[in-house]
């Protein structure tokens, strides 16, 4: 029988909902490509493969493999796009941390893992492999989610939660236009240097870089499924000084200029995964 795709998301409650964007599981996925580009979103991921396949990252230019991963790995806070392998019949369980959510679990300054994908054992030791074994044994998807949730609750270190002042700045950078960034940053009660250090420790990136990433992801949502686009209007709406600044930043985060992006039909895909070798 042909395997059907299973895709399930775990319902999160407190305290985990404060730190985790989503926990999801899928099995039987059949992508129409083998390499995809992932754009920066401001999230860190803890990924369990449950299928025994080795995954690769690729050089963004040559698309030659430059890293391989299996079992469990962490994808740190990325400032640039990443090229990764996509497999037939994958089975994976993925924990996606909120921007503010990973430090209380990883307990390691987040900027130290910026732009890296690495073996989760490097941070969590052998217990992460034991958790993977447990998840493989669990019969139902719910049981798998429960095993992971229990481990996360044990792993959570309350002393590593960002202060309300820092969280407030992050929230404003996410929700307010970029033209207000200087005002938001200067509202922080301590020095700007202190703010930058706190941001790097808790969230990996500086306030300004994170805000640019948030804005870029808003743009991707805005253009999804749209056929007709006025790029100059979008550049203006999102506070770019001019269209060339917009094009440069779009290319920096996605690897494509806006026109190429639409010509390749990526506005019809998931907003942050773009197939690079789809048979067209």
């Amino acid at each position: 029988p042909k395997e059907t795709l299973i895709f399930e998301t775990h319902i999160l409650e407190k305290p985990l909902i404060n730190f985790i964007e989503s926990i999801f599981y899928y099995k039987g996925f059949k992508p129409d490509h083998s390499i995809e580009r992932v754009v920066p979103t401001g999230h860190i991921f803890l990924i369990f493969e449950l299928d025994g396949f080795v995954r690769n990252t690729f050089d963004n230019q040559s698309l030659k493999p430059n890293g391989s991963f299996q079992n469990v790995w962490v994808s740190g806070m990325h400032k640039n796009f990443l090229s990764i392998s996509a497999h037939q019949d994958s089975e994976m369980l993925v924990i996606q941390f909120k921007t503010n959510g990973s430090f209380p679990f990883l307990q390691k300054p987040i900027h130290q893992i910026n732009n890296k994908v690495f073996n989760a054992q490097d941070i969590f030791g052998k217990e992460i492999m034991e958790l993977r074994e447990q998840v493989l044994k669990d019969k139902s998807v719910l049981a798998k989610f429960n095993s992971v949730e229990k481990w996360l609750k044990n792993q959570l270190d309350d002393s590593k939660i960002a202060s309300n002042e820092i969280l407030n700045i992050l929230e404003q950078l996410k929700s307010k236009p970029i033209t207000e960034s200087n005002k938001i940053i200067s509202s922080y009660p301590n020095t700007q240097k202190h703010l930058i250090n706190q941001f790097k420790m808790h969230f990996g990136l500086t306030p300004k870089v994170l805000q640019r990433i948030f804005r870029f992801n808003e743009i991707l949502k805005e253009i999804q499924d749209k056929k007709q686009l006025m790029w100059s209007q979008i550049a203006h709406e999102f506070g770019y000084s001019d269209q060339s600044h917009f094009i440069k930043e779009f290319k920096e985060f996605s690897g494509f200029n806006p026109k190429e992006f639409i010509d390749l039909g990526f506005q019809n895909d998931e907003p942050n995964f773009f197939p690079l070798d789809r048979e067209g």
Side-chain angles (χ1 to χ4, degrees):
K2 191 173 166 302
E3 234 191 281
T4 50
L5 173 66
I6 298 166
F7 185 94
E8 292 192 32
T9 308
H10 187 40
I11 309 290
L12 289 160
E13 289 167 6
K14 281 184 168 172
L16 296 183
I17 198 163
N18 298 332
F19 308 99
I20 292 171
E21 193 72 50
S22 69
I23 300 178
F24 58 91
Y25 165 89
Y26 64 83
K27 185 180 180 179
F29 181 51
K30 294 196 188 314
D32 59 359
H33 56 280
S34 65
I35 303 179
E36 56 195 17
R37 178 165 294 169
V38 191
V39 303
T41 59
H43 299 106
I44 285 179
F45 295 85
L46 176 58
I47 302 163
F48 294 77
E49 64 76 356
L50 305 170
D51 48 36
F53 300 140
V54 176
R55 302 305 195 281
N56 287 308
T57 49
F58 300 88
D59 178 273
N60 285 329
Q61 266 37 68
S62 68
L63 294 185
K64 288 192 165 65
N66 62 7
S68 64
F69 309 93
Q70 63 189 123
N71 299 322
V72 195
W73 61 95
V74 175
S75 181
M77 188 61 81
H78 285 269
K79 190 180 160 185
N80 305 101
F81 57 85
L82 189 64
S83 304
I84 60 171
S85 52
H87 289 261
Q88 297 296 315
D89 297 316
S90 292
E91 181 182 5
M92 296 181 73
L93 188 149
V94 179
I95 299 166
Q96 178 184 16
F97 292 98
K98 292 185 169 178
T99 307
N100 63 295
S102 56
F103 186 44
F105 299 89
L106 302 181
Q107 297 162 25
K108 178 187 179 77
I110 298 305
H111 65 87
Q112 292 179 6
I113 57 168
N114 280 359
N115 305 310
K116 291 190 176 100
V117 181
F118 58 93
N119 191 326
Q121 274 173 282
D122 295 353
I123 285 192
F124 302 111
K126 68 178 200 318
E127 68 169 82
I128 199 77
M129 294 303 290
E130 289 160 7
L131 176 59
R132 180 177 177 271
E133 286 306 309
Q134 182 57 49
V135 169
L136 281 166
K137 276 196 207 109
D138 290 328
K139 293 280 184 274
S140 69
V141 179
L142 184 60
K144 294 178 195 300
F145 284 150
N146 288 340
S147 292
V148 167
E149 178 172 292
K150 186 177 159 199
W151 177 79
L152 283 164
K153 283 179 176 164
N154 285 336
Q155 188 65 26
L156 175 61
D157 179 352
D158 288 342
S159 73
K160 300 280 192 291
I161 297 171
S163 70
N164 287 335
E165 285 88 5
I166 300 280
L167 291 173
N168 179 31
I169 299 280
L170 180 70
E171 209 32 65
Q172 289 189 66
L173 292 173
K174 221 180 232 172
S175 57
K176 292 186 173 171
I178 214 144
T179 44
E180 291 187 31
S181 71
N182 289 341
K183 196 170 110 189
I184 295 166
I185 289 167
S186 60
S187 74
Y188 181 62
N190 212 313
T191 64
Q192 199 167 336
K193 186 172 179 227
H194 184 263
L195 178 68
I196 288 172
N197 288 339
Q198 288 288 307
F199 258 68
K200 284 162 81 170
M201 182 167 78
H202 286 278
F203 318 136
L205 301 169
T206 64
K208 294 211 163 164
V209 172
L210 270 172
Q211 191 173 30
R212 285 170 52 220
I213 289 172
F214 295 149
R215 168 169 70 172
F216 175 68
N217 281 275
E218 282 301 311
I219 291 167
L220 291 181
K221 275 199 223 121
E222 174 98 355
I223 66 181
Q224 207 180 6
D225 300 330
K226 283 204 172 64
K227 293 287 167 269
Q228 291 298 311
L229 287 165
M230 290 286 290
W231 290 116
S232 55
Q233 207 175 323
I234 287 173
H236 176 72
E237 182 190 335
F238 284 93
Y240 288 92
S241 51
D242 55 39
Q243 202 163 345
S244 69
H245 176 211
F246 166 67
I247 291 168
K248 182 171 168 275
E249 184 153 299
F250 196 97
K251 186 153 189 167
E252 182 188 333
F253 286 137
S254 72
F256 302 102
N257 72 41
K259 184 182 180 316
E260 288 172 326
F261 187 87
I262 296 297
D263 290 347
L264 289 162
F266 289 144
Q267 77 279 21
N268 307 318
D269 286 302
E270 284 291 318
N272 36 20
F273 285 86
F274 309 114
L276 293 184
D277 59 348
R278 182 155 48 192
E279 297 302 314

